[in-house]
Structures are given as structure tokens and as C-alpha cells.
Amino acid sequence: MEPLQLMVRMNLNAWDAQIKRASSFFNGLSDEELYQEIAPGKNRAIYLLGHLVAIHDGMLSLLGIGNRDYEQLDNAFVKSPDKAVEHLPEPKDLRAYWTNVNDILNRQFNSLLAEEWLHKHTAVSEADFEKEPHRNRLNVLISRTNHLAYHLGQLVLIKK
Amino acid sequence: MEPLQLMVRMNLNAWDAQIKRASSFFNGLSDEELYQEIAPGKNRAIYLLGHLVAIHDGMLSLLGIGNRDYEQLDNAFVKSPDKAVEHLPEPKDLRAYWTNVNDILNRQFNSLLAEEWLHKHTAVSEADFEKEPHRNRLNVLISRTNHLAYHLGQLVLIKK
């Protein structure tokens, strides 16, 4: 494998590993447990599930690799803190969204060539990108992987 | 910047960003608050501080870029769960270790060439590395960055 491909693959492996851990965690949580807070007065697991679906869905447009499916989740799970929005989607729906969005990302990720990961993401202008070439797709992947690890560290605190 | 260098730089930037966030978090915590649990019955902040120092210190030998300074922390902070070891180092000492180990890593990281990040780490044999070239230094960096993000997600739950 070429060094560049290898580096992309390693970052993709890290993403996959976090997705696998999170999926296995959510699968092991009952619908009831999804409504538990990670710590007293903090976010509930269901909020973090919706939050992660919305943020991952947003990667499709941010990376310029697809259209968003779940933009309607942004209001309850990105723009608002937990418990600010009364009616949340059902656990079974959020679970299906989680699987679906990560499957779509996985397919798109694996269709990109190593060099294409260094293309600019859609939230940076051509002019800025010329000065800041690190504002590319791979950077989004790296930062979203850390975002997922961050929330996973919180989720495992839920008492099962 | 060459594509390979750029990819290494992006992973280093992600590491730096997490270190900065964690340092700023620990600096904002009083010694007393360090003894608080992240959630009822869970790890205390001081345990996670010692844990992160020990794991980061271990990167020096794992990456083959230096000798460990704080191997004596492994017993209380890696091999044992929190509260299993009665006498922990003082907060002021752990804070100094944290700064020191990350400074050393930072210097060593920045002295490596992009290609050198793809060299094998010291916990894999030459034979295995030939079959699994991703078991290299960069992979350790990526996985330790996610490890730090994971615990940072927990630390921010501390009530200040």
C-alpha cells in the first residue's frame, strides 16, 4: 500500500473502531436506559445518540459526498441542549438512523481515493483553502472521530 | 507541503488540540476539585490525570523516541482502578509531570520526518509489521488522541 493510502486507511480504521464501539454500546442499551443521564443533570444517552446521528449526517454535505437525510434532527440535537425540546424521535427510529447514516458514510468513505481526502471540505472558501490546505476532508474525519470518542467516554458512564 | 507531511501534520494538530483542551481543563481545576469523581462512583479527576500522564509517558518507549520518566505511575494509574491504591502522588507533582511529558512528546514528535511516522512501533515484531504495516507510530498517535478525547469527555462532567 502506498504511504498516502496507508495514512488514510489508518484514519479510517480509527473511525471504524469508534463507530463499532459506539454501535455495540447503543445496541447493549435498552430503550429505557437510553433515557438515562450519563451523570446527574447531564445529557441523556438518547440526546447523544441523536446528536451523533445529526453530526455524522452533516459530514455528508461537509465533505461534499452526499445529501443530508436527517437535517430535521439539528434543532433538537445540535442547536438545542438536552431536555430543551420536548418531543424527540422514538428510540427505534434514532437507532435506525444511526445505522443508516454510518453505513452511507462508510460506503462513501471507501469510494474516495487517498488524494481526494486532501480536497477541501465545503465549509472553506477556495481562497482560504489555498492558505490553509489542512482544511480538507481528512481533517473533518479526524476531528469527528475525536468527537465520537469524546461522547463515547461519557456514554459508558451510564449505569446498566 | 507534501501530501504525506500534510497528513502527519493534521494528525499532530489533532493531538495538540486535545492536549491544549485537557491542559486548560486541568489548569482550571483546583487541587480539591481534582479529587472529585466525574460521576457518582466513577473515576476521580486525579486518577484520570495520573492515567493520562502514565499512558503518554509510555508513548516514548512505544514509539521508540525516548525513555520513560514516570513508569512508577503505572501501578496506581494503569494497572489498578481508581481508589485501589491509597497513596497517590500530590496534585502539584502530577500537574508538573503532565506538562513535562507532553512537552517532551511535542519535541520528539516535531523532530520526526513524515516517513518516520510510518516506521513500526516497538510493540510489534518485524515479521508482524511486514504483514500489518499500519502498526506504526502514526497509528499509536491516532489511537492515543482518541484515548485522550474519550477521557476529556468524562472530565468535563466534573462540577466546578
Side-chain angles (χ1 to χ4, degrees):
Chain A
M1 199 182 279
E2 288 297 307
L4 209 64
Q5 275 181 294
L6 180 62
M7 284 198 186
V8 168
R9 176 47 49 201
M10 284 157 50
N11 282 294
L12 282 172
N13 285 351
W15 167 266
D16 290 344
Q18 298 295 326
I19 292 286
K20 209 169 270 182
R21 285 178 72 181
S23 298
S24 142
F25 177 82
F26 285 127
N27 288 339
L29 220 57
S30 68
D31 287 355
E32 203 171 64
E33 287 163 337
L34 265 185
Y35 290 94
Q36 274 192 37
E37 295 171 332
I38 50 174
K42 304 291 180 177
N43 290 329
R44 292 170 299 171
I46 193 168
Y47 178 81
L48 290 178
L49 174 56
H51 176 70
L52 290 168
V53 170
I55 296 294
H56 291 190
D57 185 56
M59 291 170 75
L60 288 164
S61 52
L62 186 52
L63 298 179
I65 54 176
N67 294 316
R68 297 194 57 179
D69 285 312
Y70 307 115
E71 205 161 350
Q72 78 278 10
L73 297 184
D74 286 6
N75 184 47
F77 296 107
V78 181
K79 295 175 188 157
S80 313
D82 190 18
K83 296 155 205 163
V85 172
E86 206 175 338
H87 293 291
L88 297 184
E90 292 296 314
K92 76 163 174 9
D93 292 328
L94 285 175
R95 291 180 191 276
Y97 302 164
W98 167 259
T99 304
N100 188 45
V101 73
N102 293 319
D103 282 353
I104 295 173
L105 286 174
N106 185 46
R107 270 198 304 280
Q108 296 302 322
F109 287 174
N110 285 297
S111 73
L112 289 175
L113 301 172
E115 307 80 64
E116 291 176 323
W117 280 100
L118 293 176
H119 291 184
K120 81 179 197 63
H121 60 64
T122 60
V124 61
S125 70
E126 293 282 1
D128 286 348
F129 184 61
E130 216 157 293
K131 288 172 287 181
E132 303 172 298
H134 65 277
R135 298 176 69 179
N136 55 41
R137 285 168 168 159
L138 191 67
N139 217 36
V140 173
L141 178 72
I142 293 170
S143 114
R144 291 303 180 274
T145 305
N146 282 301
H147 174 258
L148 178 52
Y150 180 91
H151 288 306
L152 193 54
Q154 301 176 328
L155 284 162
V156 299
L157 300 174
I158 298 253
K159 283 196 186 69
K160 290 200 273 190
Chain B
M1 200 182 279
E2 289 296 309
L4 209 65
Q5 273 182 297
L6 181 61
M7 284 197 187
V8 168
R9 176 46 52 200
M10 285 157 50
N11 282 294
L12 282 172
N13 285 351
W15 167 267
D16 289 344
Q18 297 296 326
I19 292 287
K20 210 170 268 180
R21 286 178 71 182
S23 297
S24 142
F25 177 83
F26 286 126
N27 289 338
L29 220 58
S30 67
D31 287 354
E32 204 171 63
E33 287 163 337
L34 266 186
Y35 290 94
Q36 273 191 39
E37 294 172 334
I38 51 173
K42 305 289 181 178
N43 291 329
R44 293 170 298 172
I46 193 167
Y47 178 82
L48 289 178
L49 174 55
H51 176 70
L52 290 168
V53 170
I55 296 293
H56 291 190
D57 184 55
M59 292 171 75
L60 289 164
S61 51
L62 187 52
L63 298 178
I65 54 177
N67 294 316
R68 296 195 59 180
D69 284 314
Y70 306 116
E71 206 162 349
Q72 78 279 9
L73 297 184
D74 287 6
N75 184 48
F77 296 107
V78 180
K79 295 175 189 157
S80 314
D82 190 17
K83 296 154 203 163
V85 171
E86 206 174 340
H87 294 292
L88 297 183
E90 292 297 313
K92 74 163 175 13
D93 292 328
L94 285 175
R95 291 178 191 278
Y97 301 164
W98 167 259
T99 304
N100 188 44
V101 73
N102 292 319
D103 282 354
I104 295 173
L105 286 174
N106 185 47
R107 269 198 305 279
Q108 296 302 323
F109 288 174
N110 286 298
S111 74
L112 289 176
L113 302 172
E115 306 80 62
E116 290 175 325
W117 280 99
L118 294 175
H119 293 183
K120 84 179 197 58
H121 59 65
T122 60
V124 61
S125 70
E126 293 283 1
D128 287 347
F129 183 63
E130 216 157 294
K131 289 171 285 181
E132 304 172 297
H134 65 275
R135 298 177 70 178
N136 56 42
R137 286 168 170 157
L138 190 66
N139 217 36
V140 173
L141 178 73
I142 293 170
S143 112
R144 291 303 180 274
T145 305
N146 282 302
H147 174 258
L148 178 52
Y150 180 92
H151 287 306
L152 193 54
Q154 301 176 328
L155 285 161
V156 299
L157 301 174
I158 297 255
K159 285 197 184 68
K160 288 200 274 190

PDB file of all heavy atoms in Angstrom, chain B residues 33-66:
ATOM      1  N   GLU B  33     -10.783  20.072  43.659  1.00  0.00           N
ATOM      2  CA  GLU B  33     -11.688  19.550  42.619  1.00  0.00           C
ATOM      3  C   GLU B  33     -11.109  18.318  41.912  1.00  0.00           C
ATOM      4  O   GLU B  33     -11.838  17.490  41.389  1.00  0.00           O
ATOM      5  CB  GLU B  33     -12.007  20.653  41.593  1.00  0.00           C
ATOM      6  CG  GLU B  33     -12.955  21.710  42.142  1.00  0.00           C
ATOM      7  CD  GLU B  33     -12.970  22.994  41.318  1.00  0.00           C
ATOM      8  OE1 GLU B  33     -11.988  23.282  40.605  1.00  0.00           O
ATOM      9  OE2 GLU B  33     -13.964  23.737  41.412  1.00  0.00           O
ATOM     10  N   LEU B  34      -9.781  18.228  41.930  1.00  0.00           N
ATOM     11  CA  LEU B  34      -9.134  17.046  41.329  1.00  0.00           C
ATOM     12  C   LEU B  34      -9.580  15.756  42.014  1.00  0.00           C
ATOM     13  O   LEU B  34      -9.538  14.688  41.421  1.00  0.00           O
ATOM     14  CB  LEU B  34      -7.615  17.152  41.446  1.00  0.00           C
ATOM     15  CG  LEU B  34      -6.813  17.748  40.288  1.00  0.00           C
ATOM     16  CD1 LEU B  34      -5.334  17.613  40.588  1.00  0.00           C
ATOM     17  CD2 LEU B  34      -7.122  17.069  38.953  1.00  0.00           C
ATOM     18  N   TYR B  35      -9.994  15.869  43.267  1.00  0.00           N
ATOM     19  CA  TYR B  35     -10.423  14.671  43.995  1.00  0.00           C
ATOM     20  C   TYR B  35     -11.893  14.347  43.782  1.00  0.00           C
ATOM     21  O   TYR B  35     -12.426  13.403  44.354  1.00  0.00           O
ATOM     22  CB  TYR B  35     -10.103  14.803  45.493  1.00  0.00           C
ATOM     23  CG  TYR B  35      -8.609  14.727  45.749  1.00  0.00           C
ATOM     24  CD1 TYR B  35      -7.839  15.888  45.822  1.00  0.00           C
ATOM     25  CD2 TYR B  35      -7.969  13.497  45.871  1.00  0.00           C
ATOM     26  CE1 TYR B  35      -6.459  15.825  46.007  1.00  0.00           C
ATOM     27  CE2 TYR B  35      -6.593  13.425  46.072  1.00  0.00           C
ATOM     28  CZ  TYR B  35      -5.849  14.585  46.134  1.00  0.00           C
ATOM     29  OH  TYR B  35      -4.493  14.507  46.322  1.00  0.00           O
ATOM     30  N   GLN B  36     -12.573  15.136  42.957  1.00  0.00           N
ATOM     31  CA  GLN B  36     -13.984  14.845  42.649  1.00  0.00           C
ATOM     32  C   GLN B  36     -14.087  13.720  41.624  1.00  0.00           C
ATOM     33  O   GLN B  36     -13.245  13.575  40.736  1.00  0.00           O
ATOM     34  CB  GLN B  36     -14.657  16.087  42.059  1.00  0.00           C
ATOM     35  CG  GLN B  36     -15.230  17.028  43.097  1.00  0.00           C
ATOM     36  CD  GLN B  36     -16.110  18.076  42.436  1.00  0.00           C
ATOM     37  OE1 GLN B  36     -16.853  17.789  41.502  1.00  0.00           O
ATOM     38  NE2 GLN B  36     -16.016  19.295  42.914  1.00  0.00           N
ATOM     39  N   GLU B  37     -15.191  12.984  41.734  1.00  0.00           N
ATOM     40  CA  GLU B  37     -15.487  11.931  40.749  1.00  0.00           C
ATOM     41  C   GLU B  37     -16.161  12.562  39.531  1.00  0.00           C
ATOM     42  O   GLU B  37     -16.935  13.520  39.661  1.00  0.00           O
ATOM     43  CB  GLU B  37     -16.440  10.903  41.368  1.00  0.00           C
ATOM     44  CG  GLU B  37     -15.823  10.112  42.516  1.00  0.00           C
ATOM     45  CD  GLU B  37     -16.850   9.243  43.236  1.00  0.00           C
ATOM     46  OE1 GLU B  37     -18.053   9.576  43.219  1.00  0.00           O
ATOM     47  OE2 GLU B  37     -16.431   8.224  43.823  1.00  0.00           O
ATOM     48  N   ILE B  38     -15.903  12.002  38.362  1.00  0.00           N
ATOM     49  CA  ILE B  38     -16.540  12.508  37.144  1.00  0.00           C
ATOM     50  C   ILE B  38     -18.048  12.234  37.164  1.00  0.00           C
ATOM     51  O   ILE B  38     -18.833  12.970  36.577  1.00  0.00           O
ATOM     52  CB  ILE B  38     -15.915  11.878  35.869  1.00  0.00           C
ATOM     53  CG1 ILE B  38     -15.868  10.338  35.993  1.00  0.00           C
ATOM     54  CG2 ILE B  38     -14.512  12.437  35.637  1.00  0.00           C
ATOM     55  CD1 ILE B  38     -15.429   9.629  34.740  1.00  0.00           C
ATOM     56  N   ALA B  39     -18.443  11.189  37.861  1.00  0.00           N
ATOM     57  CA  ALA B  39     -19.851  10.843  38.088  1.00  0.00           C
ATOM     58  C   ALA B  39     -19.861   9.961  39.323  1.00  0.00           C
ATOM     59  O   ALA B  39     -18.826   9.376  39.680  1.00  0.00           O
ATOM     60  CB  ALA B  39     -20.423  10.109  36.877  1.00  0.00           C
ATOM     61  N   PRO B  40     -21.007   9.849  40.003  1.00  0.00           N
ATOM     62  CA  PRO B  40     -21.019   9.093  41.272  1.00  0.00           C
ATOM     63  C   PRO B  40     -20.459   7.677  41.121  1.00  0.00           C
ATOM     64  O   PRO B  40     -20.904   6.911  40.282  1.00  0.00           O
ATOM     65  CB  PRO B  40     -22.511   9.050  41.631  1.00  0.00           C
ATOM     66  CG  PRO B  40     -23.102  10.262  40.960  1.00  0.00           C
ATOM     67  CD  PRO B  40     -22.330  10.419  39.681  1.00  0.00           C
ATOM     68  N   GLY B  41     -19.442   7.385  41.934  1.00  0.00           N
ATOM     69  CA  GLY B  41     -18.858   6.045  41.927  1.00  0.00           C
ATOM     70  C   GLY B  41     -17.851   5.810  40.811  1.00  0.00           C
ATOM     71  O   GLY B  41     -17.315   4.707  40.684  1.00  0.00           O
ATOM     72  N   LYS B  42     -17.592   6.818  39.999  1.00  0.00           N
ATOM     73  CA  LYS B  42     -16.670   6.649  38.859  1.00  0.00           C
ATOM     74  C   LYS B  42     -15.289   7.231  39.196  1.00  0.00           C
ATOM     75  O   LYS B  42     -15.058   7.718  40.302  1.00  0.00           O
ATOM     76  CB  LYS B  42     -17.250   7.318  37.614  1.00  0.00           C
ATOM     77  CG  LYS B  42     -18.656   6.843  37.259  1.00  0.00           C
ATOM     78  CD  LYS B  42     -18.640   5.404  36.737  1.00  0.00           C
ATOM     79  CE  LYS B  42     -20.054   4.959  36.358  1.00  0.00           C
ATOM     80  NZ  LYS B  42     -20.063   3.599  35.810  1.00  0.00           N
ATOM     81  N   ASN B  43     -14.407   7.208  38.234  1.00  0.00           N
ATOM     82  CA  ASN B  43     -13.041   7.705  38.431  1.00  0.00           C
ATOM     83  C   ASN B  43     -12.994   9.155  38.897  1.00  0.00           C
ATOM     84  O   ASN B  43     -13.795   9.979  38.462  1.00  0.00           O
ATOM     85  CB  ASN B  43     -12.261   7.628  37.111  1.00  0.00           C
ATOM     86  CG  ASN B  43     -11.964   6.205  36.687  1.00  0.00           C
ATOM     87  OD1 ASN B  43     -11.802   5.320  37.525  1.00  0.00           O
ATOM     88  ND2 ASN B  43     -11.903   5.976  35.379  1.00  0.00           N
ATOM     89  N   ARG B  44     -12.017   9.454  39.718  1.00  0.00           N
ATOM     90  CA  ARG B  44     -11.778  10.852  40.098  1.00  0.00           C
ATOM     91  C   ARG B  44     -10.872  11.506  39.054  1.00  0.00           C
ATOM     92  O   ARG B  44     -10.106  10.820  38.363  1.00  0.00           O
ATOM     93  CB  ARG B  44     -11.097  10.904  41.477  1.00  0.00           C
ATOM     94  CG  ARG B  44     -11.991  10.421  42.610  1.00  0.00           C
ATOM     95  CD  ARG B  44     -11.210  10.264  43.884  1.00  0.00           C
ATOM     96  NE  ARG B  44     -10.146   9.244  43.723  1.00  0.00           N
ATOM     97  CZ  ARG B  44      -9.215   8.996  44.623  1.00  0.00           C
ATOM     98  NH1 ARG B  44      -9.166   9.687  45.752  1.00  0.00           N
ATOM     99  NH2 ARG B  44      -8.303   8.066  44.408  1.00  0.00           N
ATOM    100  N   ALA B  45     -10.956  12.819  38.994  1.00  0.00           N
ATOM    101  CA  ALA B  45     -10.138  13.555  38.021  1.00  0.00           C
ATOM    102  C   ALA B  45      -8.655  13.278  38.243  1.00  0.00           C
ATOM    103  O   ALA B  45      -7.887  13.146  37.283  1.00  0.00           O
ATOM    104  CB  ALA B  45     -10.424  15.053  38.105  1.00  0.00           C
ATOM    105  N   ILE B  46      -8.238  13.169  39.497  1.00  0.00           N
ATOM    106  CA  ILE B  46      -6.807  12.945  39.765  1.00  0.00           C
ATOM    107  C   ILE B  46      -6.353  11.603  39.197  1.00  0.00           C
ATOM    108  O   ILE B  46      -5.211  11.481  38.718  1.00  0.00           O
ATOM    109  CB  ILE B  46      -6.479  13.031  41.284  1.00  0.00           C
ATOM    110  CG1 ILE B  46      -4.961  13.112  41.467  1.00  0.00           C
ATOM    111  CG2 ILE B  46      -7.093  11.892  42.086  1.00  0.00           C
ATOM    112  CD1 ILE B  46      -4.514  13.517  42.853  1.00  0.00           C
ATOM    113  N   TYR B  47      -7.263  10.625  39.227  1.00  0.00           N
ATOM    114  CA  TYR B  47      -6.912   9.325  38.645  1.00  0.00           C
ATOM    115  C   TYR B  47      -6.720   9.469  37.137  1.00  0.00           C
ATOM    116  O   TYR B  47      -5.758   8.950  36.571  1.00  0.00           O
ATOM    117  CB  TYR B  47      -8.003   8.288  38.955  1.00  0.00           C
ATOM    118  CG  TYR B  47      -7.709   6.938  38.323  1.00  0.00           C
ATOM    119  CD1 TYR B  47      -6.839   6.036  38.925  1.00  0.00           C
ATOM    120  CD2 TYR B  47      -8.283   6.586  37.107  1.00  0.00           C
ATOM    121  CE1 TYR B  47      -6.549   4.809  38.332  1.00  0.00           C
ATOM    122  CE2 TYR B  47      -8.004   5.360  36.496  1.00  0.00           C
ATOM    123  CZ  TYR B  47      -7.131   4.481  37.116  1.00  0.00           C
ATOM    124  OH  TYR B  47      -6.839   3.274  36.517  1.00  0.00           O
ATOM    125  N   LEU B  48      -7.623  10.187  36.496  1.00  0.00           N
ATOM    126  CA  LEU B  48      -7.504  10.342  35.043  1.00  0.00           C
ATOM    127  C   LEU B  48      -6.269  11.157  34.677  1.00  0.00           C
ATOM    128  O   LEU B  48      -5.611  10.879  33.669  1.00  0.00           O
ATOM    129  CB  LEU B  48      -8.783  10.967  34.469  1.00  0.00           C
ATOM    130  CG  LEU B  48     -10.002  10.018  34.495  1.00  0.00           C
ATOM    131  CD1 LEU B  48     -11.241  10.723  33.950  1.00  0.00           C
ATOM    132  CD2 LEU B  48      -9.720   8.746  33.686  1.00  0.00           C
ATOM    133  N   LEU B  49      -5.916  12.136  35.515  1.00  0.00           N
ATOM    134  CA  LEU B  49      -4.691  12.907  35.259  1.00  0.00           C
ATOM    135  C   LEU B  49      -3.472  11.981  35.325  1.00  0.00           C
ATOM    136  O   LEU B  49      -2.637  11.952  34.404  1.00  0.00           O
ATOM    137  CB  LEU B  49      -4.568  14.053  36.278  1.00  0.00           C
ATOM    138  CG  LEU B  49      -3.273  14.866  36.238  1.00  0.00           C
ATOM    139  CD1 LEU B  49      -3.001  15.452  34.852  1.00  0.00           C
ATOM    140  CD2 LEU B  49      -3.300  15.990  37.291  1.00  0.00           C
ATOM    141  N   GLY B  50      -3.396  11.187  36.386  1.00  0.00           N
ATOM    142  CA  GLY B  50      -2.269  10.263  36.520  1.00  0.00           C
ATOM    143  C   GLY B  50      -2.264   9.219  35.405  1.00  0.00           C
ATOM    144  O   GLY B  50      -1.204   8.854  34.873  1.00  0.00           O
ATOM    145  N   HIS B  51      -3.466   8.757  35.059  1.00  0.00           N
ATOM    146  CA  HIS B  51      -3.610   7.764  33.987  1.00  0.00           C
ATOM    147  C   HIS B  51      -3.079   8.326  32.666  1.00  0.00           C
ATOM    148  O   HIS B  51      -2.319   7.665  31.956  1.00  0.00           O
ATOM    149  CB  HIS B  51      -5.091   7.395  33.872  1.00  0.00           C
ATOM    150  CG  HIS B  51      -5.420   6.455  32.760  1.00  0.00           C
ATOM    151  ND1 HIS B  51      -5.047   5.131  32.770  1.00  0.00           N
ATOM    152  CD2 HIS B  51      -6.103   6.641  31.595  1.00  0.00           C
ATOM    153  CE1 HIS B  51      -5.482   4.540  31.662  1.00  0.00           C
ATOM    154  NE2 HIS B  51      -6.121   5.428  30.922  1.00  0.00           N
ATOM    155  N   LEU B  52      -3.468   9.541  32.356  1.00  0.00           N
ATOM    156  CA  LEU B  52      -3.037  10.143  31.091  1.00  0.00           C
ATOM    157  C   LEU B  52      -1.532  10.403  31.080  1.00  0.00           C
ATOM    158  O   LEU B  52      -0.865  10.191  30.063  1.00  0.00           O
ATOM    159  CB  LEU B  52      -3.826  11.438  30.822  1.00  0.00           C
ATOM    160  CG  LEU B  52      -5.310  11.215  30.467  1.00  0.00           C
ATOM    161  CD1 LEU B  52      -6.091  12.538  30.506  1.00  0.00           C
ATOM    162  CD2 LEU B  52      -5.459  10.550  29.098  1.00  0.00           C
ATOM    163  N   VAL B  53      -0.980  10.840  32.224  1.00  0.00           N
ATOM    164  CA  VAL B  53       0.481  11.019  32.294  1.00  0.00           C
ATOM    165  C   VAL B  53       1.180   9.692  32.010  1.00  0.00           C
ATOM    166  O   VAL B  53       2.110   9.619  31.191  1.00  0.00           O
ATOM    167  CB  VAL B  53       0.927  11.549  33.681  1.00  0.00           C
ATOM    168  CG1 VAL B  53       2.454  11.496  33.808  1.00  0.00           C
ATOM    169  CG2 VAL B  53       0.425  12.969  33.922  1.00  0.00           C
ATOM    170  N   ALA B  54       0.711   8.623  32.658  1.00  0.00           N
ATOM    171  CA  ALA B  54       1.376   7.321  32.516  1.00  0.00           C
ATOM    172  C   ALA B  54       1.276   6.818  31.077  1.00  0.00           C
ATOM    173  O   ALA B  54       2.264   6.314  30.516  1.00  0.00           O
ATOM    174  CB  ALA B  54       0.753   6.309  33.483  1.00  0.00           C
ATOM    175  N   ILE B  55       0.097   6.952  30.477  1.00  0.00           N
ATOM    176  CA  ILE B  55      -0.087   6.471  29.105  1.00  0.00           C
ATOM    177  C   ILE B  55       0.750   7.307  28.125  1.00  0.00           C
ATOM    178  O   ILE B  55       1.382   6.766  27.210  1.00  0.00           O
ATOM    179  CB  ILE B  55      -1.586   6.494  28.714  1.00  0.00           C
ATOM    180  CG1 ILE B  55      -2.390   5.520  29.595  1.00  0.00           C
ATOM    181  CG2 ILE B  55      -1.768   6.175  27.230  1.00  0.00           C
ATOM    182  CD1 ILE B  55      -2.069   4.051  29.399  1.00  0.00           C
ATOM    183  N   HIS B  56       0.769   8.611  28.329  1.00  0.00           N
ATOM    184  CA  HIS B  56       1.559   9.465  27.432  1.00  0.00           C
ATOM    185  C   HIS B  56       3.053   9.178  27.609  1.00  0.00           C
ATOM    186  O   HIS B  56       3.816   9.125  26.646  1.00  0.00           O
ATOM    187  CB  HIS B  56       1.229  10.938  27.668  1.00  0.00           C
ATOM    188  CG  HIS B  56      -0.160  11.286  27.213  1.00  0.00           C
ATOM    189  ND1 HIS B  56      -0.628  12.569  27.119  1.00  0.00           N
ATOM    190  CD2 HIS B  56      -1.182  10.494  26.785  1.00  0.00           C
ATOM    191  CE1 HIS B  56      -1.879  12.551  26.676  1.00  0.00           C
ATOM    192  NE2 HIS B  56      -2.238  11.311  26.478  1.00  0.00           N
ATOM    193  N   ASP B  57       3.464   9.007  28.849  1.00  0.00           N
ATOM    194  CA  ASP B  57       4.862   8.657  29.125  1.00  0.00           C
ATOM    195  C   ASP B  57       5.225   7.352  28.408  1.00  0.00           C
ATOM    196  O   ASP B  57       6.320   7.222  27.840  1.00  0.00           O
ATOM    197  CB  ASP B  57       5.032   8.507  30.645  1.00  0.00           C
ATOM    198  CG  ASP B  57       6.466   8.242  31.058  1.00  0.00           C
ATOM    199  OD1 ASP B  57       7.345   9.044  30.689  1.00  0.00           O
ATOM    200  OD2 ASP B  57       6.709   7.234  31.753  1.00  0.00           O
ATOM    201  N   GLY B  58       4.289   6.419  28.397  1.00  0.00           N
ATOM    202  CA  GLY B  58       4.527   5.131  27.731  1.00  0.00           C
ATOM    203  C   GLY B  58       4.705   5.264  26.228  1.00  0.00           C
ATOM    204  O   GLY B  58       5.278   4.373  25.585  1.00  0.00           O
ATOM    205  N   MET B  59       4.214   6.362  25.663  1.00  0.00           N
ATOM    206  CA  MET B  59       4.368   6.573  24.221  1.00  0.00           C
ATOM    207  C   MET B  59       5.826   6.750  23.834  1.00  0.00           C
ATOM    208  O   MET B  59       6.220   6.448  22.703  1.00  0.00           O
ATOM    209  CB  MET B  59       3.545   7.783  23.756  1.00  0.00           C
ATOM    210  CG  MET B  59       2.036   7.557  23.835  1.00  0.00           C
ATOM    211  SD  MET B  59       1.084   9.091  23.535  1.00  0.00           S
ATOM    212  CE  MET B  59       1.256   9.272  21.745  1.00  0.00           C
ATOM    213  N   LEU B  60       6.642   7.265  24.764  1.00  0.00           N
ATOM    214  CA  LEU B  60       8.063   7.474  24.462  1.00  0.00           C
ATOM    215  C   LEU B  60       8.734   6.150  24.113  1.00  0.00           C
ATOM    216  O   LEU B  60       9.439   6.056  23.100  1.00  0.00           O
ATOM    217  CB  LEU B  60       8.768   8.134  25.655  1.00  0.00           C
ATOM    218  CG  LEU B  60       8.400   9.601  25.884  1.00  0.00           C
ATOM    219  CD1 LEU B  60       8.825  10.065  27.273  1.00  0.00           C
ATOM    220  CD2 LEU B  60       9.060  10.469  24.802  1.00  0.00           C
ATOM    221  N   SER B  61       8.496   5.134  24.936  1.00  0.00           N
ATOM    222  CA  SER B  61       9.120   3.840  24.648  1.00  0.00           C
ATOM    223  C   SER B  61       8.394   3.119  23.509  1.00  0.00           C
ATOM    224  O   SER B  61       9.025   2.493  22.668  1.00  0.00           O
ATOM    225  CB  SER B  61       9.162   2.965  25.902  1.00  0.00           C
ATOM    226  OG  SER B  61       7.893   2.897  26.500  1.00  0.00           O
ATOM    227  N   LEU B  62       7.062   3.244  23.478  1.00  0.00           N
ATOM    228  CA  LEU B  62       6.297   2.556  22.435  1.00  0.00           C
ATOM    229  C   LEU B  62       6.666   3.072  21.041  1.00  0.00           C
ATOM    230  O   LEU B  62       6.739   2.323  20.074  1.00  0.00           O
ATOM    231  CB  LEU B  62       4.793   2.756  22.705  1.00  0.00           C
ATOM    232  CG  LEU B  62       3.809   1.986  21.816  1.00  0.00           C
ATOM    233  CD1 LEU B  62       4.129   0.493  21.777  1.00  0.00           C
ATOM    234  CD2 LEU B  62       2.376   2.204  22.298  1.00  0.00           C
ATOM    235  N   LEU B  63       6.907   4.374  20.947  1.00  0.00           N
ATOM    236  CA  LEU B  63       7.288   4.950  19.657  1.00  0.00           C
ATOM    237  C   LEU B  63       8.799   4.860  19.419  1.00  0.00           C
ATOM    238  O   LEU B  63       9.279   5.211  18.330  1.00  0.00           O
ATOM    239  CB  LEU B  63       6.848   6.416  19.571  1.00  0.00           C
ATOM    240  CG  LEU B  63       5.334   6.679  19.650  1.00  0.00           C
ATOM    241  CD1 LEU B  63       5.050   8.170  19.595  1.00  0.00           C
ATOM    242  CD2 LEU B  63       4.604   5.978  18.510  1.00  0.00           C
ATOM    243  N   GLY B  64       9.528   4.432  20.439  1.00  0.00           N
ATOM    244  CA  GLY B  64      10.981   4.343  20.289  1.00  0.00           C
ATOM    245  C   GLY B  64      11.631   5.701  20.134  1.00  0.00           C
ATOM    246  O   GLY B  64      12.578   5.876  19.374  1.00  0.00           O
ATOM    247  N   ILE B  65      11.127   6.682  20.879  1.00  0.00           N
ATOM    248  CA  ILE B  65      11.668   8.040  20.752  1.00  0.00           C
ATOM    249  C   ILE B  65      12.191   8.577  22.083  1.00  0.00           C
ATOM    250  O   ILE B  65      12.498   9.767  22.197  1.00  0.00           O
ATOM    251  CB  ILE B  65      10.603   9.023  20.201  1.00  0.00           C
ATOM    252  CG1 ILE B  65       9.329   8.985  21.057  1.00  0.00           C
ATOM    253  CG2 ILE B  65      10.285   8.698  18.738  1.00  0.00           C
ATOM    254  CD1 ILE B  65       8.252   9.967  20.638  1.00  0.00           C
ATOM    255  N   GLY B  66      12.297   7.710  23.076  1.00  0.00           N
ATOM    256  CA  GLY B  66      12.835   8.187  24.343  1.00  0.00           C
ATOM    257  C   GLY B  66      12.579   7.198  25.463  1.00  0.00           C
ATOM    258  O   GLY B  66      11.904   6.184  25.265  1.00  0.00           O
TER     259      GLY B  66
END
